[in-house]
Amino acid sequence: MNAPLTSAPLALKDPSLLKSQCYVNGEWIGKGVDPIINPATGQTIALVPRFGAKEAAEAVEHADRAFKLWSKKTAKERSNILRKWFDLMIANTDDLATIMTAEQGKPLAEAKGEIAYAASFVEFFSEEARRVNGEVIPTHRPDHRIIVQKQPIGVCAAITPWNFPAAMITRKCSPAIAVGCTTVVKPAPETPLTALALAELAHRAGLPAGVLNIITGDAAPIGKTWCEHPTVRFIGFTGSTPVGKLLMAQAASTVKRVGLELGGNAPFIVFDDADIDAAVEGAMASKYRNMGQTCVCANRLYVHETVHDEFVAKFTAKVRELKVGNGFDVGVTQGPLIKAAAVDKVVRHVEDALAKGAKVETGGKRSALGQTFYEPTVLSGVTKDMIVTQEETFGPVAPVYKFKTEDEVIHLANDQPFGLASYFYGRDIGRIFRVAEALEFGMVGINTGMVGVDVAPFGGVKESGLGREGSHHGVEEFLELKLMMLGGIDK
Ligand SMILES: NC(=O)c1ccc[n+]([C@@H]2O[C@H](COP(=O)([O-])OP(=O)(O)OC[C@H]3O[C@@H](n4cnc5c(N)ncnc54)[C@H](O)[C@@H]3O)[C@@H](O)[C@H]2O)c1
Ligand SMILES: O=C[C@H](O)CS(=O)(=O)O
């Protein structure tokens, strides 16, 4: 059904950044039919095309033709275009953030922060493009020489989530493009407008047709087409673990590489020697960023019994200062969740915890602002039999547990299938190394609540994913090592 456009046009300095078509082979194609809804107001912002398997295959063919040219560009040529893309993202931050807040809901200041974060990957990999060096290996025979060349793997697919509509795309596409690959991208159905605006800026930066292709539409057939297409050499996915497992299975049909950034269930541990004020600050940053809708949010807060009451009192006081509302409104620090179903999941988690004996320190109920809003919540008296312990809540709920010993809390932290981010606060150097090495997670924040940055490898272990994004490691999954064994050198 074509939902009517019921919202006033977004206040953009450059209205041409608001796209309602797909970007394929350097052209805008398709007819908008699926509404993109503002989660704060329920209004329709724009309509986007509903593409499927056919268009997904066509995008791969365009990307493959472009690969043959793009991979032959010099590293400096690729670097220069990525740098221009970065410059245009920064110059258009306000419009990109406005589009993001409208479709995703996060407060405008957070959206601007994400644009800077997303742009930082483009900048970083514009520099890495020129650092992809091969090797000459000391020979085993005087008449032989051994050379290892790093070559771009080809067409890479990216399927991304709604919680970081810009950064999850640039964190995958900029390293791929930097080393000479080409890309086909399906953004989340909730938040494609940010992705399409990024494509427009890439076009303006001079990225050749077919290097970046972005289509919207039916996720399952698009994903299956790319997973099974013999020309696609890599599937990059950021999203839930169940979908990640499905894509990994589908990609096996053509022995593709996969890069999986999946679900999390981060422990946040406060030891007895922690700086409590710093721990509260770190917990606020980790827990309530994006209304708790990040894969690295503190999902379980374990506080040593000797400092528990002080931490809960100070933490709860800070949470009560959060202001819930429309992300465009001045002073709002907590916007809506992405959709009503997300709030329903939060309600289910909180009600389960209360039924099993948890206590509400603050919040604990839907906001009167509407069906997509939930009050920032702190629960105490939480135990491991509650759903919040085993499942990622993906909302503004902080379950607090008490613990007695280091061994006990390390076991509790590790005793679940996820392994993305983890955090702890403490100052004893011996404990810092013991705990950091014992935690079964891809990332450990020590006396900090934030781990995601362009220069550091981001990724998880166990059922939180495969591979690393960002940092100089971030190009490796887009490169093949080619051995050149040269004989007959003595003739
Ligand atoms: N590890 C990370 O970096 C990271 C980052 C953001 C989100 N996430 C995780 O993502 C989840 C929330 O995001 P979400 O709700 O968008 O996840 P999701 O898995 O439902 O969707 C993610 C993407 O996959 C697509 N998709 C869904 N079903 C598909 C299918 N059968 N075939 C192909 N594509 C399909 C969606 O359209 C979307 O583009 C949470 O679990 C969160 O932890 C992880
Ligand atoms: O939600 C997942 C993001 O990758 C979190 S971060 O912004 O990269 O820290």
Side-chain angles (χ1 to χ4, degrees):
M1 178 190 76
N2 287 359
L5 291 180
T6 56
S7 59
L10 294 182
L12 300 178
K13 297 169 188 170
D14 179 355
S16 72
L17 285 176
L18 183 62
K19 297 297 184 184
S20 55
Q21 291 187 288
C22 296
Y23 181 70
V24 178
N25 198 34
E27 296 181 352
W28 296 97
I29 62 171
K31 180 178 184 305
V33 295
D34 285 333
I36 305 307
I37 306 296
N38 180 327
T41 65
Q43 292 181 321
T44 297
I45 308 162
L47 304 175
V48 296
R50 188 182 308 154
F51 280 178
K54 173 178 173 294
E55 295 86 357
E58 288 167 353
V60 171
E61 286 143 29
H62 288 302
D64 189 38
R65 278 191 290 276
F67 173 66
K68 292 169 174 52
L69 299 173
W70 182 245
S71 58
K72 298 289 187 294
K73 294 283 187 184
T74 66
K76 187 164 172 50
E77 287 172 315
R78 295 197 293 264
S79 173
N80 287 343
I81 290 173
L82 281 172
R83 178 72 207 194
K84 284 178 188 163
W85 189 20
F86 164 76
D87 290 340
L88 287 170
M89 287 179 68
I90 296 300
N92 290 277
T93 292
D94 289 349
D95 281 353
L96 291 172
T98 296
I99 292 169
M100 184 185 296
T101 293
E103 65 175 353
Q104 198 271 347
K106 64 180 69 175
L108 197 56
E110 268 198 49
K112 290 180 180 178
E114 185 189 335
I115 297 304
Y117 181 50
S120 73
F121 291 106
V122 180
E123 181 188 38
F124 181 85
F125 289 109
S126 76
E127 297 156 357
E128 282 301 295
R130 303 181 63 190
R131 307 284 179 269
V132 182
N133 301 321
E135 298 170 351
V136 175
I137 295 173
T139 182
H140 58 305
R141 288 177 43 167
D143 63 342
H144 278 53
R145 296 295 182 271
I146 303 172
I147 295 172
V148 176
Q149 203 177 61
K150 292 184 178 179
Q151 292 185 317
I153 62 174
V155 176
C156 300
I159 298 174
T160 57
W162 49 260
N163 62 342
F164 288 85
M168 297 305 99
I169 288 178
T170 60
R171 196 164 74 182
K172 283 172 181 40
C173 293
S174 51
I177 290 169
V179 303
C181 294
T182 53
T183 56
V184 290
V185 181
K186 191 205 77 66
E190 300 86 351
T191 56
L193 303 177
T194 303
L196 297 172
L198 291 177
E200 170 62 20
L201 295 179
H203 185 84
R204 295 181 190 176
L207 199 64
V211 176
L212 174 68
N213 303 276
I214 298 185
I215 67 171
T216 59
D218 291 328
I222 291 171
K224 189 170 189 295
T225 299
W226 287 347
C227 283
E228 295 176 351
H229 199 298
T231 303
V232 174
R233 298 313 315 144
F234 175 84
I235 298 289
F237 173 70
T238 298
S240 64
T241 293
V243 175
K245 290 180 178 179
L246 170 67
L247 295 173
M248 188 174 180
Q250 291 175 339
S253 62
T254 46
V255 193
K256 285 180 182 50
R257 289 182 185 185
V258 292
L260 302 176
E261 296 290 350
L262 306 180
N265 183 7
F268 186 102
I269 305 168
V270 183
F271 284 104
D272 57 351
D273 67 338
D275 175 335
I276 299 302
D277 293 330
V280 167
E281 183 183 349
M284 289 300 293
S286 173
K287 176 67 258 184
Y288 295 100
R289 179 163 70 111
N290 202 9
M291 292 66 74
Q293 300 172 123
T294 93
C295 57
V296 292
C297 275
N299 202 56
R300 301 169 283 152
L301 288 80
Y302 296 99
V303 185
H304 191 269
E305 59 182 0
T306 58
V307 295
H308 173 275
D309 294 351
E310 178 190 359
F311 175 85
V312 169
K314 289 182 173 180
F315 180 54
T316 302
K318 286 291 185 188
V319 173
R320 287 188 177 129
E321 293 174 8
L322 295 171
K323 183 181 177 187
V324 182
N326 186 316
F328 286 114
D329 291 349
V330 174
V332 166
T333 53
Q334 293 285 288
L337 274 63
I338 190 66
K339 60 182 80 167
V343 174
D344 295 343
K345 177 181 179 183
V346 172
V347 169
R348 180 166 59 84
H349 280 200
V350 171
E351 289 181 349
D352 170 79
L354 298 181
K356 293 173 182 172
K359 176 191 168 194
V360 174
E361 298 290 337
T362 189
K365 59 184 188 294
R366 297 173 184 270
S367 163
L369 290 173
Q371 61 179 2
T372 54
F373 292 89
Y374 194 84
E375 292 191 2
T377 295
V378 177
L379 301 176
S380 59
V382 182
T383 52
K384 67 179 182 180
D385 60 315
M386 298 171 185
I387 296 175
V388 290
T389 305
Q390 292 301 324
E391 282 185 23
E392 183 181 44
T393 300
F394 233 56
V397 177
V400 182
Y401 309 69
K402 267 186 194 175
F403 74 92
K404 294 180 186 296
T405 71
E406 186 180 300
D407 288 346
E408 171 200 5
V409 76
I410 287 171
H411 172 72
L412 290 170
N414 289 336
D415 184 26
Q416 43 78 47
F418 296 101
L420 191 60
S422 58
Y423 310 88
F424 68 90
Y425 279 72
R427 286 177 284 197
D428 177 87
I429 191 66
R431 171 184 283 155
I432 283 174
F433 275 92
R434 288 196 306 274
V435 174
E437 291 170 358
L439 287 171
E440 298 166 358
F441 293 82
M443 301 175 284
V444 185
I446 302 162
N447 296 323
T448 181
M450 301 284 281
V451 291
V453 66
D454 58 319
V455 295
F458 186 103
V461 299
K462 295 169 47 176
E463 296 197 17
S464 286
L466 292 172
R468 291 299 184 267
E469 295 184 346
S471 82
H472 67 88
H473 296 287
V475 297
E476 286 158 13
E477 46 202 14
F478 303 107
L479 292 165
E480 283 293 3
L481 295 181
K482 176 167 284 178
L483 165 63
M484 297 181 183
M485 181 69 73
L486 288 79
I489 298 298
D490 57 341
K491 294 178 177 56

